[in-house]
Amino acid sequence: MVRWRSGMVTAVRRRWAGATELDVDLPDGGQMRALAYPALVGDPEPGDRVLLNAGALLMGLGTGGYALVVALPERLPADPPQDADSRDAGHLVKARYTPLQPILLGVDEEASPHHALLAAADSLDGMPVVTADLHSALPAILAGVHADAPHARVAYLLTDGGALPAWFSRTLAGLADHLAGTVSVGQAFGGDLEASTLHSGLLAARHVLHADLAIVAQGPGNLGTGTRWGFSGVAVGEAVNAVATLGGRAVGSLRISDADPRSRHRGVSHHSLTAYGRVALAAAELVVPDRLDPALAAEVDQALAPLADRHRIVTVPTDGLDAALRASPVGLSTMGRGLDADHAYFLAAAAAGRHAARLLG
């Protein structure tokens, strides 16, 4: 459950879109690094007392090393300008029935200027959609897209398997100028557009953001239990089904690695094999980069062979992709490993982006 702490802000370390990083002194003489979302709790300054949820930090879980600011009890932010009983600014509730549930304007709800458009929308018109397990694949996929199609409009669909606030992701903040926009779906929030489901979010990406292609991936901080079914990336398979239902073209970014110390994630991760092999009932184009180390390539081919009955396995050339990855506007990191430490992982994601870009014709 929640491990509460109260402390005093001593310094603002840095800010990025939607988030403020703080140093907080505790009454017992300790200090915590904390993260606040100003849109939810107000904008902390040195001297403010803050209430913190410190549980994940104390347990060493994947929160980026933060306690999270729950409130500034002595300096509450002002109410939104609209009347409390009005739905004119939206009534879409996310992180529902938690203490910090935000009430937002859904892109397709009645008060939205896009309501009529999305009420009639029912197809992605063949739009390529790249599906990925980890948030760390996002910049690599985008690098692969723009290596071949530098002017392609790419939308990002933030699903709710990891961090719910889009603001948590420094990667996303750094990519803002390179994306047509972000749509936060399900319980996730903080994107340029809010959608209640992945289906409505995909339609918004196509018809509101006018995306040429889209990338679907959870936020940072995925959940995994070391079991076949107990991981948040299982939603990748469900995303493939949604893309097919809406007449899109699913491109599967595979989680490939010869650097992960865990055997279940070496070669093709069991996350990809389960999501695409068991959960995805519709077909996708699963992308394998060429020029992998021969031993890794053989392992990948063997792992993917059972999936070939449902999916199309596509080998994509990788010339120029290393340079595109190194030119990424944000740093590349997965599970603490950078580009050179886990080159195959990022190359596979970039190859998926390249393949999606080439589907644009």
Side-chain angles (χ1 to χ4, degrees), residues 26-339:
L26 305 179
D28 63 5
Q31 187 178 77
M32 286 184 168
R33 188 169 60 151
L35 193 69
Y37 302 121
L40 296 183
V41 302
D43 202 357
E45 297 290 349
D48 282 332
R49 187 167 75 88
V50 290
L51 299 180
L52 305 175
N53 180 338
L57 173 62
L58 293 172
M59 293 182 70
L61 301 181
T63 62
Y66 296 117
L68 297 173
V69 175
V70 179
L72 282 66
E74 291 154 11
R75 193 165 65 85
L76 297 176
D79 285 346
Q82 67 272 14
D83 294 336
D85 60 353
S86 170
R87 295 190 175 195
D88 292 345
H91 74 290
L92 181 58
V93 182
K94 296 201 175 184
R96 286 188 281 278
Y97 305 107
T98 63
L100 290 178
Q101 61 180 18
I103 301 176
L104 306 156
L105 178 63
V107 66
D108 56 345
E109 67 171 296
E110 293 83 351
S112 168
H114 310 295
H115 174 72
L117 173 65
L118 291 176
D122 196 43
S123 175
L124 297 178
D125 305 320
M127 180 177 71
V129 179
V130 184
T131 57
D133 176 12
L134 298 177
H135 189 70
S136 57
L138 171 62
I141 294 168
L142 190 63
V145 171
H146 285 157
D148 284 11
H151 302 298
R153 290 181 59 81
V154 183
Y156 169 50
L157 283 293
L158 172 72
T159 61
D160 54 15
L164 298 185
W167 312 311
F168 184 82
S169 174
R170 294 194 299 274
T171 293
L172 191 53
L175 293 176
D177 293 339
H178 303 269
L179 292 166
T182 294
V183 187
S184 36
V185 306
Q187 297 291 330
F189 56 91
D192 300 293
L193 299 174
E194 303 289 348
S196 55
T197 68
L198 178 57
H199 297 74
S200 61
L202 285 167
L203 291 168
R206 181 62 170 170
H207 298 288
V208 177
L209 295 178
H210 305 291
D212 300 310
L213 61 85
I215 301 169
V216 177
Q218 63 185 334
N222 67 297
L223 172 67
T225 64
T227 63
R228 174 176 293 176
W229 296 104
F231 65 98
S232 52
V234 74
V236 170
E238 296 164 353
V240 170
N241 297 335
V243 173
T245 296
L246 295 173
R249 194 163 178 178
V251 176
S253 177
L254 295 168
R255 185 173 170 181
I256 293 174
S257 177
D258 56 2
D260 200 302
R262 299 164 294 178
S263 61
R264 65 185 185 276
H265 293 305
R266 292 180 71 85
V268 182
S269 167
H270 82 98
H271 285 188
S272 290
L273 297 176
T274 300
Y276 293 116
R278 302 289 300 278
V279 181
L281 302 179
E285 299 180 41
L286 305 184
V287 175
V288 178
D290 73 354
R291 301 181 188 177
L292 291 175
D293 175 84
L296 176 60
E299 193 172 354
V300 168
D301 289 345
Q302 181 179 12
L304 293 179
L307 278 63
D309 289 342
R310 178 176 305 150
H311 303 293
R312 179 179 170 224
I313 313 300
V314 184
T315 300
V316 172
T318 56
D319 51 295
L321 288 184
D322 179 76
L325 288 166
R326 295 186 189 280
S328 171
V330 298
L332 302 176
S333 179
T334 186
M335 304 295 169
R337 299 184 298 274
L339 174 59

